[in-house]
Amino acid sequence: MCKSPLHNFLASLPKAEHHIHLEGSLEPELLFSLAAKNNITLPVSTDASFASPASLRKRYSAFANLDDFLAYYYIGMSVLLHAADFEALAYAYFAKAAAQNVRHAEVFFDAQAHTRRGVALETVVDSFKKAQVRAEKDFGVSSELIMCLLRHLPLSSALDTFGLARGKGYFRDGTLRGMGMDSSEVPFPPPMWTELYEAAREEGIRTTCHAGEEGPPGYVSQALDLLGVQRIDHGVRALVDGDDALVARLAASKTLLTMCPLSNVKLNCISSMSEFPLRRLLDAGVRFSINSDDPAYFGGYILENYCALQETFGLSIRDWEMIAKGAIMGSWCTEERIAKLLVEVEDVVEEWARQFEEQ
Ligand code: HPA
Ligand code: ZN
């Protein structure tokens, strides 16, 4: 809970989340219990942080950079083996998100990180789907699943995995709403992936891409120009270092940037929360959402990200109204769902604005 007088407003604001890796919501306690259940030996002999959930959590507070985090992230998800593990992971995320008034979530998963360990794609996707259906029924949270491909593996692996998902009909039947790319960034720039995004375009699906997290603003331009993505995940370096022409282009094209402030600070993509380019985003009219990325690793879910920004920038209720509405309008759900969620935001904003004006 933050110290702002707006904390309860931020908690009750209806939210859309677009940048959450389900594997990044694996809390250390669940990680250890799944390791025990599935007879997976954690590498405690070479890394003492795997001694207990508490020591692992402590290590998570000191990541040097993206790759340092990713090493833990891939070890962590190796405890996920069975359908029930994937369903439990996703349902736990939806329960936490719903408790923070997330009303719509577009969630990532890393297909290859599981298939290369011998877990079938259907085990992963069908289990996440079950959790999505339960979350809609139990919490009224709508959601979409986005398959991410890994940049540190060869293009052929990404194409094979894309082909596997296409062959199962997951894109055609809407089980997978779109495709993204993640993992290490700087050595694997957008021009490497044109063939993959061409295949996605032929399939007629929506596309996004992590870009400008550690990489330069030019990677964001390349993702737009060469990959034809409709969305950029992170893009923070484009807003910190990018020229006005790039920022104006993002604003004019209404490209949604799925921003993750706590992640950016924890991975040293920015030096502190005060470097987060919130003012530039708002002043330039760039469409963006605020997200948790890997909440179990970066110290908070979506509300903690909202709070961190509020404590640093002291935004008004009307600023938050703009942020919340921009996020909803950038969502890949139906027009009806968008319209309903916008009304929900207006109702909460009006109630709180009235209370504050009365004081
Ligand atoms: N960046 C790149 N890859 C990732 C991330 C991220 O923030 N989270 C999980 N995989
Ligand atoms: Zn991410």
Side-chain angles (χ1 to χ4, degrees):
M1 178 163 170
C2 68
K3 293 187 198 78
S4 165
L6 290 191
H7 178 82
N8 290 339
F9 162 70
L10 294 179
S12 56
L13 196 58
K15 300 171 186 71
E17 179 152 54
H18 309 108
H19 188 155
I20 148 81
H21 302 261
L22 286 173
E23 299 92 338
S25 70
L26 179 61
E27 296 286 347
E29 292 73 19
L30 182 58
L31 189 162
F32 272 73
S33 73
L34 288 176
K37 175 177 88 71
N38 293 337
N39 287 317
I40 306 263
T41 307
L42 295 170
V44 68
S45 60
T46 51
D47 183 344
S49 27
F50 284 100
S52 69
S55 56
L56 192 57
R57 204 178 279 287
K58 185 153 177 275
R59 177 65 180 85
Y60 289 177
S61 64
F63 292 125
N65 52 39
L66 173 60
D67 281 357
D68 185 28
F69 150 69
L70 288 171
Y72 283 89
Y73 172 75
Y74 294 123
I75 293 170
M77 71 174 77
S78 71
V79 304
L80 300 164
L81 280 188
H82 305 293
D85 306 341
F86 290 93
E87 187 176 339
L89 175 74
Y91 191 79
Y93 161 71
F94 286 123
K96 289 209 189 71
Q100 297 190 343
N101 276 310
V102 169
R103 305 285 295 121
H104 176 73
E106 297 179 3
V107 300
F108 297 139
F109 72 104
D110 286 323
Q112 292 148 290
H114 307 300
T115 53
R116 70 202 306 252
R117 297 184 292 112
V119 180
L121 185 64
E122 311 84 282
T123 302
V124 181
V125 172
D126 298 356
S127 307
F128 286 158
K129 189 81 220 168
K130 276 190 192 157
Q132 288 179 270
V133 170
R134 286 171 59 205
E136 174 114 41
K137 181 167 158 283
D138 295 350
F139 312 123
V141 176
S142 54
S143 63
E144 301 289 352
L145 196 53
I146 299 172
M147 181 172 76
C148 280
L149 296 159
L150 297 176
R151 288 185 291 219
H152 68 276
L153 297 181
L155 172 65
S156 57
S157 168
L159 287 169
D160 286 351
T161 307
F162 180 81
L164 192 61
R166 181 177 47 203
K168 303 255 174 232
Y170 287 145
F171 296 120
R172 231 171 309 125
D173 69 12
T175 299
L176 298 180
R177 182 57 59 206
M179 183 193 85
M181 284 207 101
D182 60 1
S183 94
S184 305
E185 179 179 19
V186 174
F188 309 106
M192 294 176 68
W193 312 106
T194 52
E195 199 179 329
L196 175 67
Y197 279 80
E198 234 164 74
R201 208 164 23 254
E202 274 168 23
E203 188 68 11
I205 59 166
R206 311 210 196 212
T207 55
T208 185
C209 179
H210 281 54
E213 182 180 13
E214 286 187 339
Y219 281 24
V220 171
S221 312
Q222 287 178 342
L224 297 169
D225 293 335
L226 304 180
L227 308 182
V229 293
Q230 290 101 54
R231 207 180 251 186
I232 296 284
D233 300 315
H234 290 300
V236 63
R237 297 309 313 172
L239 268 292
V240 174
D241 300 328
D243 59 25
D244 287 343
L246 174 56
V247 175
R249 174 188 183 179
L250 290 166
S253 59
K254 294 195 168 65
T255 303
L256 183 77
L257 301 192
T258 67
M259 314 287 298
C260 310
L262 283 177
S263 164
N264 294 156
V265 173
K266 290 288 167 95
L267 299 186
N268 296 305
C269 300
I270 52 177
S271 57
S272 68
M273 197 54 80
S274 55
E275 203 195 337
F276 186 82
L278 190 68
R279 281 287 157 213
R280 195 172 186 198
L281 285 161
L282 289 170
D283 292 348
V286 174
R287 184 172 279 179
F288 66 99
S289 58
I290 297 300
N291 306 277
S292 62
D293 203 3
D294 299 283
Y297 291 82
F298 301 144
Y301 286 74
I302 193 168
L303 178 58
E304 285 75 31
N305 277 271
Y306 279 45
C307 288
L309 291 181
Q310 183 60 19
E311 290 201 312
T312 306
F313 296 101
L315 300 177
S316 67
I317 288 179
R318 296 296 170 191
D319 288 331
W320 282 110
E321 177 182 16
M322 204 155 88
I323 294 170
K325 286 183 169 175
I328 288 165
M329 288 189 288
S331 295
W332 289 343
C333 53
T334 63
E335 290 302 319
E336 292 75 23
R337 182 71 178 153
I338 288 176
K340 179 171 188 308
L341 295 180
L342 288 175
V343 171
E344 288 186 17
V345 167
E346 271 168 21
D347 288 349
V348 171
V349 165
E350 292 320 315
E351 184 194 327
W352 280 83
R354 223 180 8 257
Q355 275 187 37
F356 267 72
E357 279 150 19
E358 278 165 9
Q359 282 174 10

